[in-house]
Amino acid sequence: MKEHVPKHIAVIMDGNGRWANSRGLDISEGHLAGYQNIRPVISKFAQLGIKYVTIYAFSTENWDRPKSEVDSILELAGSVIKDESNLMGRENIRILHAGDSEGLPNSLRSDIEQSVEETKNNTGLTLCVAFNYGGRGEIIRAIKKIIREGIEEDKINETLLCGYMYTHGIPDPDLIIRTGGEFRLSNFLIWQSAYSEFHSTPVFWPDFGLKEINQSIVTYRSRKRRFGRR
Ligand code: IPE
Ligand code: IPE
Ligand code: MG
């Protein structure tokens, strides 16, 4: 399997709410189950030889959900990032954050910053956590920075813009997996996904396991990527 695996897999971890509903559980239980599924999936990706994984955990649009749900996600995220970054650190995983940290509660922001700092010298899989992330907002932020730095018009090209994204230094995703059955990006990596392969599975994120991982790699390997060429 190691030969033809994607270098970068990005995952839209969708379906926590429906997973909870289908079991008669509270929505927060769905998010908890979702968070608990992150580490086993990342470990498996690491074993398969995947170098970069980006996970969509909270979008800038998700603030519009009921306050009780948002509060439960923020609280869970804080405890999970602390526990998981220790464990992932031991697995040589490097954690990065993509998203607007200014808009997060102070404690969560510092937990995220700490996990990034503590794992910065790890040389295994890079896990980029998209939290309070929106692709359109990311592009606007990049443009503002470019203007603020007084960059001349003829210096502006795709490579330069890439350097102003949250994901600078990370190759574009080869494969985007969406759980929960929808076929849309929901404002995820809209700049970076220009030539990404897309795989949607109806399985809800908390149930996404080995079988689905293998299926998504098999699907990826069956695709012929052309990048516009003949
Ligand atoms: C994804 O699960 C997690 C977040 C968006 C935070 P959802 O909560 O969107 O699950 P569904 O789509 O309602 O089932
Ligand atoms: C996308 O899921 C965001 C995350 C998984 C974090 P949503 O549930 O927010 O997407 P829509 O609303 O179905 O497009
Ligand atoms: Mg959803």
Side-chain angles (χ1 to χ4, degrees):
M1 268 264 195
K2 246 184 179 154
E3 269 159 46
H4 298 295
V5 293
K7 194 169 183 187
H8 181 182
I9 295 184
V11 188
I12 302 173
M13 306 186 296
D14 197 23
N16 294 348
R18 282 164 286 166
W19 183 91
N21 273 340
S22 69
R23 285 168 171 71
L25 298 170
D26 189 77
I27 196 101
S28 61
E29 308 260 15
H31 292 304
L32 174 62
Y35 279 123
Q36 286 171 339
N37 197 35
I38 294 175
R39 193 155 40 89
V41 171
I42 301 303
S43 297
K44 185 64 198 171
F45 281 154
Q47 278 172 29
L48 287 170
I50 288 138
K51 296 283 177 235
Y52 299 89
V53 177
T54 301
I55 51 173
Y56 203 10
F58 190 77
S59 77
T60 46
E61 289 72 33
N62 288 147
W63 292 107
D64 295 333
R65 293 189 177 195
K67 187 177 181 302
S68 57
E69 182 180 354
V70 172
D71 287 347
S72 75
I73 292 173
L74 296 177
E75 198 184 310
L76 272 171
S79 62
V80 167
I81 190 95
K82 273 190 272 187
D83 299 348
E84 292 296 307
S85 73
N86 270 326
L87 295 162
M88 288 191 187
R90 269 183 246 159
E91 292 183 41
N92 200 19
I93 290 169
R94 176 173 70 130
I95 298 175
L96 298 177
H97 174 231
D100 175 18
S101 19
E102 300 295 312
L104 293 173
N106 289 340
S107 63
L108 180 55
R109 182 169 63 222
S110 67
D111 290 339
I112 293 175
E113 281 166 2
Q114 198 178 329
S115 71
V116 171
E117 179 62 26
E118 281 172 359
T119 62
K120 72 177 180 195
N121 294 322
N122 289 348
T123 54
L125 182 146
T126 294
L127 174 65
C128 178
V129 182
F131 199 98
N132 199 18
Y133 173 89
R136 289 183 173 179
E138 177 180 40
I139 294 169
I140 303 275
R141 171 181 170 273
I143 294 169
K144 285 186 174 171
K145 275 189 150 188
I146 289 169
I147 293 174
R148 218 181 299 131
E149 291 176 18
I151 303 204
E152 286 162 29
E153 188 185 332
D154 60 1
K155 297 263 175 358
I156 296 174
N157 56 34
E158 293 182 11
T159 312
L160 180 114
L161 203 53
C162 283
Y164 283 81
M165 296 289 166
Y166 292 123
T167 53
H168 60 90
I170 303 178
D172 287 343
D174 300 295
L175 173 66
I176 296 182
I177 299 171
R178 181 161 186 148
T179 61
E182 314 290 354
F183 287 77
R184 57 174 171 256
L185 287 173
S186 302
N187 205 12
F188 185 49
L189 301 180
I190 56 173
W191 165 269
Q192 298 86 341
S193 62
Y195 274 101
S196 304
E197 297 297 326
F198 191 80
H199 175 68
S200 175
T201 165
V203 170
F204 298 139
W205 169 252
D207 290 331
F208 183 85
L210 274 187
K211 187 166 148 258
E212 290 75 29
I213 291 175
N214 288 332
Q215 185 55 53
S216 57
I217 304 286
V218 167
T219 304
Y220 175 77
R221 292 169 80 183
S222 75
R223 303 275 173 86
K224 168 124 181 54
R225 302 185 76 189
R226 279 187 290 275
F227 300 97
R229 297 178 204 125
R230 180 59 63 210

